[in-house]
C-alpha cells in the first residue's frame, strides 16, 4: 500500500511540474513541453552607447558575437523596436565557435535628440537575446532666441 501511495504522489508531482526535466545536469536539455534552451550566442556587448551624432544620415551599431555552444545555431530573425531601424545579420548556419556580427542601422532623420532603441535576436529553439542602442545627437546652439543688444 505504501508503494502505491508513493507512486501516486510521484505521478502527481511530475504532472504538476509539466513534465519538465528536473536534474541540474539536464538544465540545458529541452523539456518535454518544448521549452526553449537558454543561451546560444555570446555577445561582446549587449548595449552600445552613441554620442554626438549628426541630425541626418545612417548610423551603424555593430554587435559582435560568437557561438559558444556545441550545436549549430540558426538566427530565425532580428526584430527591431522602431521603423527607423534596419538589420543585417548572417542568414547561414552558425557552427560551433562561429564568430560574426549583427549590424543595426538607424536613420538619424527619424529619431529625436535622445533615443533608446532595441533589437531582439531570435534563434531557433533558444531564448531570444535583447540588444540595446542608446544615443544622443549633437548639442545644437540655437541663435533664434538669443538676445542681441
Amino acid at each position: 500500500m505504501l508503494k502505491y501511495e508513493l507512486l501516486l504522489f510521484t505521478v502527481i508531482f511530475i504532472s504538476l511540474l509539466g513534465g519538465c526535466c528536473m536534474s541540474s545536469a539536464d538544465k540545458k536539455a529541452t523539456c518535454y513541453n518544448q521549452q526553449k534552451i537558454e543561451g546560444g550566442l555570446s555577445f561582446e556587448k549587449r548595449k552600445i552607447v552613441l554620442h554626438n551624432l549628426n541630425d541626418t544620415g545612417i548610423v551603424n551599431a555593430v554587435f559582435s558575437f560568437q557561438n559558444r555552444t556545441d550545436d549549430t545555431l540558426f538566427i530565425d530573425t532580428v526584430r527591431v523596436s522602431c521603423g527607423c531601424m534596419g538589420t543585417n545579420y548572417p542568414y547561414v548556419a552558425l557552427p560551433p565557435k562561429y564568430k560574426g556580427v549583427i549590424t543595426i542601422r538607424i536613420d538619424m532623420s527619424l529619431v529625436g535628440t535622445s533615443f533608446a532603441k532595441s533589437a531582439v535576436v531570435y534563434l531557433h529553439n533558444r531564448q531570444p537575446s535583447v540588444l540595446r542602442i542608446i544615443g544622443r545627437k549633437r548639442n545644437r546652439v540655437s541663435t533664434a532666441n538669443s538676445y542681441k543688444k
Side-chain angles (χ1 to χ4, degrees):
M1 187 68 172
L2 183 60
K3 289 182 183 179
Y4 175 74
E5 291 172 351
L6 183 60
L7 180 63
L8 181 63
F9 173 76
T10 305
V11 170
I12 292 172
F13 183 73
I14 290 174
S15 68
L16 289 176
L17 291 175
C20 190
C21 308
M22 293 299 297
S23 70
S24 61
D26 289 335
K27 280 186 180 176
K28 291 188 176 181
T30 305
C31 296
Y32 297 116
N33 59 0
Q34 297 299 315
Q35 290 180 349
K36 292 186 178 181
I37 301 170
E38 295 243 356
L41 298 181
S42 174
F43 286 91
E44 188 177 305
K45 294 179 182 178
R46 288 183 184 264
K47 180 170 89 170
I48 293 179
V49 179
L50 305 169
H51 297 286
N52 294 325
L53 300 171
N54 290 327
D55 285 338
T56 59
I58 303 293
V59 173
N60 291 320
V62 180
F63 294 90
S64 299
F65 68 85
Q66 182 176 7
N67 178 1
R68 296 196 186 264
T69 68
D70 294 330
D71 302 323
T72 298
L73 301 177
F74 299 93
I75 298 176
D76 287 337
T77 189
V78 178
R79 296 237 170 106
V80 293
S81 63
C82 179
C84 66
M85 301 166 66
T87 63
N88 187 16
Y89 57 92
Y91 296 96
V92 297
L94 311 175
K97 309 284 190 251
Y98 179 89
K99 292 183 180 181
V101 296
I102 294 174
T103 304
I104 309 295
R105 297 179 311 277
I106 303 173
D107 185 348
M108 296 308 297
S109 64
L110 300 175
V111 297
T113 304
S114 296
F115 61 89
K117 305 293 180 185
S118 63
V120 182
V121 180
Y122 291 94
L123 298 173
H124 189 71
N125 289 333
R126 301 276 176 159
Q127 292 290 336
S129 300
V130 178
L131 306 175
R132 300 194 188 284
I133 305 163
I134 298 170
R136 184 173 186 84
K137 291 183 180 179
R138 277 195 188 113
N139 290 336
R140 290 176 278 161
V141 178
S142 175
T143 58
N145 294 329
S146 63
Y147 179 75
K148 295 182 180 181
K149 288 187 178 183

